[in-house]
Amino acid sequence: MPRFGAVLSGTGSFLPERRLTNGDLEKLVDTNNEWIIQRTGIHERRLAGPSESTATLALEAARRALDAARLPAEQIDLIIVATLTPEMPTPSTACMLHHLLGIQRPIGAFDMGAACSGFLYALATATQFIGSGSYRHVLVVGAETLSRVVDYTDRGTCILFGDGAGAAVVSACDNPQRGVRAFELGAKGDGGTLLSIPAGGSRVPASAVSVENRLHYLKMNGREVYKFAVHQMTMSLQRAMEACSLTSQSVRLVVPHQVNLRIINSATEKMGFPRDKVFINIDRYGNTSAASVPIALDEAIRQGRCGPGDWIIMVAFGAGLTWASATLHL
Ligand code: UT7
């Protein structure tokens, strides 16, 4: 039994200004607005500008979360940044964020690599440090500039992804019955090739050949990933409900990874959730991987779709293959 509850004391999000509409994509690849809306629910996405990168998006989201928590950055005890598009292989984006926030204390900072499930993996990690009494405030961020790894000649992937960042300050609460009450982390490593960036790591280092073969871009077997995503998101949602003996009536809101509107609708309908209990913003931002859940969470809280005393479930699925859920009593 944890000694402390891990509660959300503030959330924030940041989306770059530049918009990429379905109409813009029609000029780049053989696709059309109707197909994209019908198959994914996406109308437009945001793209980072030339002076923006994962750390700068993370910084804005983190500042907004700290403001909402009314907490000076200096009081943060640990920083975790979930991302699959870090600033560079090393140092970590979390260390850069430590610097950009101007934090003087030598607190821990590290990146979390679990693709679209990354924010929930990071939240579960923060919950351990807080529940044990090790730390009082952990800054958990999900931030991506997927536009830097998306191949805008591949219509199977470029229609889906966008850039953005979301953050949460997770704080200790004397009542262990509040905050994160259950989580699930999962992985199926043999599905790794279904969704990957093949080059740029130790297996296929950058070379003229890797660039020529476009191996630094995101590759996806959409159809296979889709099937697995529907199954796994349904099962994760079911287990998240069972973990706290919840029903679709007692849960106020499901905040899913904005993976594809059809996947979200299919999984939540199977578990008996009406549409108004499922938070959706994929139409405006597309799939922002690790940033997707914290952006949706922040918007849901700011729009009053959930608040103190409510049960919410966050659920995600992504490359790895990975999945994760978190059940919270706000
Ligand atoms: O967050 C990370 C996890 N990622 C995911 O979960 C992604 C999961 N997968 C998906 O969301 C979907 O598979 C996609 C949206 C990527 C594709 O939708 P789909 O309904 O699975 O399409 P499909 O790949 O089965 O293709 C259906 C048809 C094909 O034409 P034919 O062979 O039936 O003639 C494709 O060539 O649609 C065609 N198609 C397109 N047409 C217009 C594929 N992409 C496009 C496109 N525009 N962008």
Side-chain angles (χ1 to χ4, degrees):
M1 182 70 180
R3 287 163 57 201
F4 299 97
V7 298
L8 302 175
S9 56
T11 60
S13 56
F14 180 77
L15 280 306
E17 263 179 38
R18 191 172 152 214
R19 289 177 156 80
L20 182 73
T21 65
N22 294 345
D24 296 330
L25 285 167
E26 284 177 3
K27 294 175 199 134
L28 296 176
V29 288
D30 178 17
T31 190
N32 62 78
N33 184 41
E34 294 70 33
W35 190 96
I36 299 174
I37 292 176
Q38 196 212 342
R39 299 290 180 124
T40 70
I42 302 170
H43 292 239
E44 61 179 32
R45 322 112 193 94
R46 300 296 184 90
L47 299 193
S51 63
E52 291 175 312
S53 59
T54 298
T56 70
L57 304 187
L59 175 65
E60 292 307 322
R63 280 187 177 144
R64 291 174 188 191
L66 288 162
D67 279 352
R70 296 173 203 271
L71 192 78
E74 209 55 51
Q75 286 187 28
I76 291 292
D77 300 310
L78 177 71
I79 300 173
I80 313 176
V81 175
T83 185
L84 68 85
T85 48
E87 293 280 297
M88 51 189 75
T90 197
S92 70
T93 303
C95 283
M96 295 187 189
L97 185 58
H98 177 266
H99 173 61
L100 290 172
L101 282 167
I103 297 175
Q104 298 302 313
R105 285 172 62 218
I107 59 169
F110 63 90
D111 286 359
M112 173 68 72
C116 307
S117 313
F119 177 79
L120 295 180
Y121 266 67
L123 178 64
T125 306
T127 300
Q128 306 313 303
F129 284 115
I130 286 175
S132 64
S134 302
Y135 296 134
R136 285 204 70 74
H137 302 289
V138 181
L139 177 62
V140 182
V141 183
E144 302 283 9
T145 42
L146 294 168
S147 61
R148 307 275 155 84
V149 296
V150 162
D151 184 350
Y152 288 98
T153 66
D154 173 13
R155 69 175 183 172
T157 53
C158 73
I159 53 150
L160 279 178
F161 299 104
D163 301 338
V169 177
V170 186
S171 301
C173 162
D174 290 336
N175 180 359
Q177 304 293 323
R178 278 201 56 218
V180 180
R181 294 294 307 277
F183 63 84
E184 181 194 24
L185 307 180
K188 191 176 181 311
D190 64 358
T193 52
L194 295 176
L195 183 49
S196 69
I197 299 174
S202 60
R203 187 181 299 184
V204 185
S207 68
V209 175
S210 69
V211 171
E212 194 184 324
N213 290 329
R214 307 182 80 76
L215 297 180
H216 298 271
Y217 290 119
L218 192 77
K219 313 281 179 199
M220 180 174 75
N221 180 334
R223 235 174 257 192
E224 286 308 309
V225 173
Y226 185 97
K227 279 191 253 167
F228 195 77
V230 171
H231 170 74
Q232 197 51 61
M233 282 189 74
T234 309
M235 297 311 292
S236 294
L237 193 50
Q238 183 177 357
R239 288 189 289 263
M241 291 162 76
E242 285 169 1
C244 295
S245 306
L246 300 171
T247 65
S248 55
Q249 281 79 39
S250 51
V251 173
R252 174 75 189 271
L253 193 68
V254 177
V255 182
H257 167 38
Q258 306 292 305
V259 50
N260 175 323
L261 188 57
R262 286 190 298 148
I263 294 174
I264 295 171
N265 286 346
S266 175
T268 52
E269 276 165 18
K270 280 192 186 124
M271 295 314 303
F273 286 96
R275 294 270 162 95
D276 64 352
K277 283 197 170 193
V278 182
F279 191 83
I280 300 294
N281 61 12
I282 192 172
D283 50 324
R284 289 176 289 136
Y285 306 141
N287 178 338
T288 57
S289 191
S292 150
V293 171
I295 293 171
L297 174 68
D298 179 52
E299 291 196 343
I301 290 173
R302 286 174 193 264
Q303 291 170 17
R305 295 279 302 274
C306 58
D310 288 336
W311 284 96
I312 67 165
I313 295 175
M314 294 184 268
V315 59
F317 164 86
L321 300 170
T322 57
W323 60 90
S325 72
T327 310
L328 276 77
H329 194 199
L330 294 180

